[in-house]
Structure formats: C-alpha cells, structure tokens
Amino acid sequence: MAKEMPEKRPIKKRLGDLLVEVGIITPEQLEEALEEQKKHGGKLGEILMALGYITEDVLLAFLGKQCGVSYVSLSEYGEIPEKVIKMVPESIVRTQKLIPISLEGNVLTIAMSDPLNVFAIDDLRMMTGKDIKVVIASESEIKNAIDKYYGAKETIDDILKEMEEPEVTPGGDDVELVEESEEEGDVIALEAQTEEAPVVRIVNLLLSSAVQAGASDIHIEPYEKALRVRYRIDGVLHEVTAPPKKLQNAIISRLKIMARLDIAEKRLPQDGRIKIKVQNREVDLRVSTIPTTFGEKVVMRILDASALKLELEKLGFEPESLEVYKKNIQVPYGIILVTGPTGSGKSTTLYSTLATLNSPEVNIVTIEDPVEYVLEGINQVQVHPEIGLTFASGLRAFLRQDPDIIMVGEIRDTETAEIAINAALTGHLVFSTLHTNDAPGAMTRLNNMGIEPFLTTSTVVMVIAQRLVRLICPKCKEPVEVDAEKLLHLGVKEEQLAGKKKVTLYRGTGCDYCTNTGYKGREACFEVMEVNDEIRELVLERAPTHVIKQVARKNGMMTLREAALKKLLDGKTTVQEVLRVTFADKE
C-alpha cells in the first residue's frame, strides 16, 4: 500500500496546482484564472489559454504526460487510411470528440481531447474488437479531421461534374420570359426537375454546410447573371460557393416544395417551414421568399434548439444588471419589455426567462410569430392573421384561459398594447418586445402609440435593451496594447483604467476554428432600466427619451455602450465590435 500511494497522489491534484508546481504558470496567474472561472464558468485550461498564460500545445502535452499518453498534432499527421476511418462510425466520433488515426496489428490508436473518457474507450474496445491505444490531440484539430474524413466529401463542383448535359429549363435561359408566360406544363416540368438527384444533393449540401458552420440564416439571392449564397455567422454575412445560375429555378423550387409552398406562385411573398436532421440533431428552418427582378430570393432562419441557452447567467448579463433583472421578473403582475432590432437575441432572453419561471404551479401562455422553439410545460400559440388569429385577438382569448404569465411576441399596434396593459392591470405578468434603440425609448414609444402615460406608469415594471457582440476566438486570441487615452474617447471611465497609460486588449488573428474571422460565438450586452417613481414622474410629464435616460443612468442603469466596453476590458470582444453594435452615450 505504501508503494502505491505516491502514484495516486498526482492524479488527485488539481490541474492548476500541477501547472504551478512545474513552473508553467505562477500562483498569481492561477489565482486570476480561478477568479475568472468563478465569475464566468468554463474549463480552467481554456481560461488560462484565453488569458495568454499557456498555449494549447503546452497544455495538451502536459495533460498527456499526467495521464501517461502521448500528444500528437493532427495537422502535422499524415493521411489516415480509409479502412481505419471505417472502423468507427461518424455518430461516435462526433459525440465523443475522437478520431481513429492508425491500426497496427490488433492495436487501434485513437486521438482524443479527453483521454480520461474511459467509457468511450471501453465502448470502442467492444465495438471494434481491438486493443485501444489513446493519444491526446486538440479538440479543434479533431473536429477539423472529422469534417475532413467524415464530413460531406462532395462539393457543388463535384456534383456539377456529374451532370454531363446542360440544365434545360422551360422557355430557355431567359428567366424573365419564363415567368411572364408560365403554364401548367412548365410547373410540372420544374417539379420533375427538383426531384433530380444533383439538385437534391446541392440543396442538402447548402443546408448541412450552413448548420455545421453555425450559421443563423441562409440567403439565396438571384441576380442577372449569377446566383449568390450567403450565410450569416455570428451576426455577419459571409459569401460561400454558389450553384450556377442555370440551376436557380430548380433549387428555389426544391426549397419551396420542402417548405410546402406553392411553386407556381412566384409573384407574391410566401412563408413556410422545413424540418431537417443534420448530424443526428433536428433543426427547423423558417423559410421566407420574396419576388425580385431576377427571380425569387429565399432567406432561411436556422432554429437549432440544441444551441438555445436557457440559463440567464449564460446570456451575458453583468452581475449588477442580472440582479435587477432577476428581482423584477418575480413581480406578481406588470409588463416587462425587451427591446432591440431584429436578430439582437430578444427571443432567447424571453425563452430563458420563461424557462426560469416555469413550474407546475404557474400557467404560462405565449402568442408568437412564429413559435421559434418549443418549451416543455408552456402553452405556445402561433399567430395566423389570415384567419383572424392576431396578437390582439390571441391575447384577448388568453385572458379567459386563467393565465399567470403571458408572453406576447411583439407589441406591433395600439390594440395589442392596450390589451397587454389591461392584462397587467388585472393581475397578470406580461412579457413582450418592442423595436426601440434603447430601454428609455420604450416609454416614449408607447406614448407615441397612443397609450396614456398614466397607463404606462401603472403597468411597466422594467425595460431592457440588448445587442449581440461577437466574441474573440479562443484559439487565435492574442494580446494587443493600446493607449488608454483612445479608450477614454470610446466612453471608458478613468477609474476603470486605474491610471494606466497603456491597456492590454485582445483580438483574434484568424484560424480554421473561426473560419479566419477572429471571432467565435456571440454574447448579449444588456441595458436594464427599472421603472421607479422618478422615471414614472418623467413619463407622466411626457419627458423626452434623453431626459429619462439621464435619470435612469443616475439611478445606476448600465447603458449598452457601457456593457459592451465592460466586455472589451474583460478581453471578450474588440473595439470594432463595440463600435459596430452600440452608439456613444450622450451625457
């Protein structure tokens, strides 16, 4: 027993202590990383890398040594034989984040980012009948290798090479003439064309590539001589390889058939939905078509329930703003408004809030356009204006359904606003959204919609505004020194700089993990305005937005610019992102 104890002791030590012990990091650096972990969560190793105290190669080599396994760089590794790849199914490699790299005799070597995953190793041993040897490799390199060997191996060019004859469309190549004189025969021919294998494969490739790239929207745009395809990734559009113009009608018709739209109707906008399965997860696509000069433009919003964050702590609230928000969502009745432009994350915030409040004792009902994500235990209604089910009529019906909490997707008109206020006055907690630039602007907006100030002040409890900033890629993050004076012009306060002449910020240099953008993922910046007596007085006096904002700031409200600058100083985002999504605060 005495001989075995020294072998077990190092395994039980924490990673940070071991790194300090061998001199890779200092105790002060470990303390800073642990504080960061306490505030924001995450793995200690990733935090140390983000802070620039350790590189991924050094960390993986160290972990490998501690676990008794070798570290390999897959980017420098040779080609993996196809027979080795075929030994482990794609579903296993993607879920367990591993990849087989070689087979020697009866020993199969597996590269893993987590060599302590003994369950995966046991499963592989039983599945393959081989002895398993584990080596450690970076998660990003394993992901790239999986995409290379298991991903869609064909490209649009590969599919087109198989099409020996040129695509024939009804009425020749003149798109305008076909649309002017469309007959039933043309529709039948186009329907048949959409079922051809190359068109189906191209559409599937466009959809699966967008989901794998983490896109939120797909844009398919027809122009006079070309078809353009763009993916919106982390809020910014990126152009990708597009199919040829001659396949435009077939591709768009294929998508319309999948969304159960009328392919014969090309003169009016249409909306539909598609449900697909990509990498063993179900994804909803919200499809919208509009007629343009050179054909129909299609935009698809990707709704991936697996990517939905339902914990308020993970949305990006600063601690003081989160405390105010959590306190006010517990009130028994009133209206809470979430404001911001389209694509600013309002729905995610509302869903996360409802998930927090959801319990068997509470009746929650929502009316949305559309229902983006289905939440268990919550009654969700989709509006259908064409049959008379609008926000206003649905909200009116809700009041007869004994609700405790009501969520209205958007207050678009005076009628909806009046019913929402009536619901709040009769003892219900109402959540909804408005399109305003900031939180104080919501009060003025309601007044402009014709709502009397005394009704607004009697019901509105809190207003939050939000924007999404892109986060710096953790894999290619590097420090950069800037003059403190330049940050003062952005709105950073002198006390935040603590008298420093130079401040260390961060940027992403671009790598495969972030598709060379320097950014990976997004986080929300919040402006949380609690409606107190002082603000109510201003609303009753019909004070302008900037006056309400001054008082809210005096009462402790953190503005959108201040929240974004906090993320900048915390090393999460860049100056460019702060300027892109927020306006400078006016004193």
Side-chain angles (χ1 to χ4, degrees), residues 19 61 162 219 225 243 282 345 433 441 493 543:
L19 290 170
E162 296 177 17
H219 291 241
K225 295 180 180 177
E282 285 190 351
T433 68
K493 296 181 174 65

Side-chain angles (χ1 to χ4, degrees), residues 77 81 83-84 87 101-110 130-133:
Y77 201 82
K83 68 172 185 177
V84 174
M87 294 186 75
I101 59 174
S102 68
L103 178 65
E104 293 179 14
N106 199 47
V107 179
L108 178 64
T109 301
I110 301 288
K130 306 289 183 186
D131 293 330
I132 303 298
K133 177 186 174 185

Side-chain angles (χ1 to χ4, degrees), residues 17 21 30 124 217 270 282 344 350 378 431 528 545:
D17 295 331
E21 217 170 75
L30 173 60
L124 286 172
D217 300 87
Q270 296 187 68
E282 285 190 351
S344 60
L350 285 172
I378 293 176
F431 291 90
V528 180
T545 300

Side-chain angles (χ1 to χ4, degrees), residues 98 174 196 202 219 241 311 403 461 478 501 505 524 542 560:
L98 55 83
D174 193 335
E196 291 178 5
I202 286 174
H219 291 241
T241 305
E311 295 175 45
V461 176
E478 68 170 21
K501 296 291 182 187
L505 300 179
R542 297 184 185 269
L560 286 168

Side-chain angles (χ1 to χ4, degrees), residues 441-454:
M443 310 302 281
T444 311
R445 172 88 177 106
L446 288 172
N447 287 346
N448 292 340
M449 289 173 74
I451 305 301
E452 289 295 331
F454 75 89

Side-chain angles (χ1 to χ4, degrees), residues 254-261 271-274 285 287:
R254 170 67 184 165
L255 288 167
K256 287 172 73 175
I257 287 171
M258 291 172 73
R260 297 181 181 178
L261 302 178
D271 295 301
R273 293 186 85 126
I274 299 172
L285 303 173
V287 183

Side-chain angles (χ1 to χ4, degrees), residues 315-364:
L315 296 182
F317 280 100
E318 297 304 325
E320 50 269 46
S321 298
L322 181 60
E323 190 179 335
V324 173
Y325 188 74
K326 277 185 164 181
K327 179 185 79 175
N328 281 285
I329 63 174
Q330 298 294 338
V331 298
Y333 55 86
I335 296 178
I336 293 172
L337 295 171
V338 183
T339 74
T342 302
S344 60
K346 299 189 298 295
S347 295
T348 301
T349 300
L350 285 172
Y351 281 132
S352 301
T353 305
L354 294 181
T356 301
L357 298 173
N358 190 16
S359 72
E361 298 81 29
V362 179
N363 179 20
I364 303 177

Side-chain angles (χ1 to χ4, degrees), residues 13 54 79 195 220 324 330 345 347 352 417 442 445 468 529 559:
K13 284 190 179 180
I54 190 171
E79 196 73 12
E195 297 302 322
I220 299 176
V324 173
Q330 298 294 338
S347 295
S352 301
R445 172 88 177 106
L468 294 174
M529 185 182 81
T559 65

